[in-house]
Amino acid sequence: MKRVARERCASCRWRILCLNREIIYDQILSYLRVDGFMHGLKRPYLGELEMAVLEHLWSNGDFDAKGVYNALGKTRGISHNTIQSTLERLFKKRLLTRQKISHAYIYHAVVSRDELMGRMIKDVVKTISKENTDGMLAAFVDIAAHTDESHLDRLEQLINEYRLKRDIESQS
C-alpha cells in the first residue's frame, strides 16, 4: 500500500497528496468540499473513505468486502459493516460493478482514477466558470507551475497532442 504524505495549507485549506497525478485532483476536491460547491455538481460527492476504497481497488484490483476491510477497515478502526456500506454507496453511484460469487460480492472499479478526475474537473469547471474559462485555464497553469517544471512541459505536450488529434479528425 502506498504511503501518502498529507499537509494542510492554512490559507486555502487544500489537502495535498504527494502523488503525481493526484495533486491537482485532490486540491480541487478539497476546495469543493470545504466551500460546499459539491452540492451543485452532477457527479457524486465522494467522502474520504470512499476515495480510500476506490484507491485500494485501483491499486490492488478486484476485492470483496472482507478483503477491503482487511486492508482498510482494521487499520482505520472501522467495522466490516462500514466497509460494506461504503462499497454499496460506490456501487449505487455507478463507480463500481459487482459480481456475486458464492455468498459474497466481488467489486470492480468501473472508472479509472484519471477518468474520475477528468469527470469531476469538467463538472467543476462547468458549474463554477459558466462561460468564462480564463480563470480555470490560469488555475491549471498555476497548479502545474507550482508542482514541477515538468508538469508545465507535460501540459504543453497534451495541448499539442489534442490539437494534432483534432486536426486529424477534422480532415477525416
Side-chain angles (χ1 to χ4, degrees):
M1 191 165 157
K2 298 177 186 172
R3 283 201 77 146
V4 178
R6 296 176 185 206
E7 301 174 14
R8 277 223 182 254
C9 174
S11 62
C12 64
R13 298 182 284 186
W14 285 0
R15 184 181 61 186
I16 301 171
L17 292 180
C18 296
L19 301 172
N20 290 339
R21 289 186 300 225
E22 292 150 39
I23 292 172
I24 294 171
Y25 168 77
D26 204 57
Q27 287 175 341
I28 291 171
L29 264 187
S30 297
Y31 172 74
L32 292 175
R33 287 181 185 150
V34 168
D35 294 333
F37 288 113
M38 288 301 261
H39 299 293
L41 298 178
K42 294 177 185 173
R43 297 288 168 226
Y45 170 81
L46 297 176
E48 186 178 340
L49 182 57
E50 289 172 319
M51 284 303 302
V53 168
L54 279 171
E55 182 61 45
H56 178 73
L57 293 174
W58 286 326
S59 300
N60 302 297
D62 302 349
F63 271 90
D64 63 355
K66 188 174 184 178
V68 176
Y69 169 74
N70 289 333
L72 299 176
K74 287 182 178 180
T75 58
R76 291 171 172 250
I78 56 178
S79 72
H80 183 271
N81 288 341
T82 302
I83 295 293
Q84 278 185 295
S85 297
T86 302
L87 288 164
E88 182 67 24
R89 280 193 312 276
L90 289 169
F91 173 74
K92 287 180 178 177
K93 291 176 181 182
R94 297 182 180 166
L95 297 174
L96 301 179
T97 58
R98 64 185 183 190
Q99 179 182 5
K100 190 157 189 159
I101 297 179
S102 186
H103 296 289
Y105 285 111
I106 304 296
Y107 291 90
H108 170 77
V110 175
V111 295
S112 69
R113 178 185 295 113
D114 292 338
E115 284 178 294
L116 181 62
M117 181 175 29
R119 286 181 188 179
M120 295 182 95
I121 289 172
K122 284 177 187 175
D123 286 341
V124 168
V125 170
K126 187 176 180 181
T127 301
I128 295 174
S129 72
K130 302 295 180 208
E131 297 298 318
N132 182 7
T133 57
D134 289 346
M136 179 267 312
L137 293 173
F140 275 113
V141 171
D142 188 51
I143 290 169
H146 280 86
T147 55
D148 189 329
E149 185 68 27
S150 66
H151 284 93
L152 281 174
D153 296 337
R154 179 68 180 134
L155 185 59
E156 188 174 8
Q157 179 186 3
L158 288 169
I159 291 168
N160 290 333
E161 288 172 7
Y162 177 81
R163 285 181 174 156
L164 180 64
K165 182 180 172 185
R166 185 187 61 191
D167 292 344
I168 290 171
E169 288 174 356
S170 68
Q171 293 174 359
S172 299

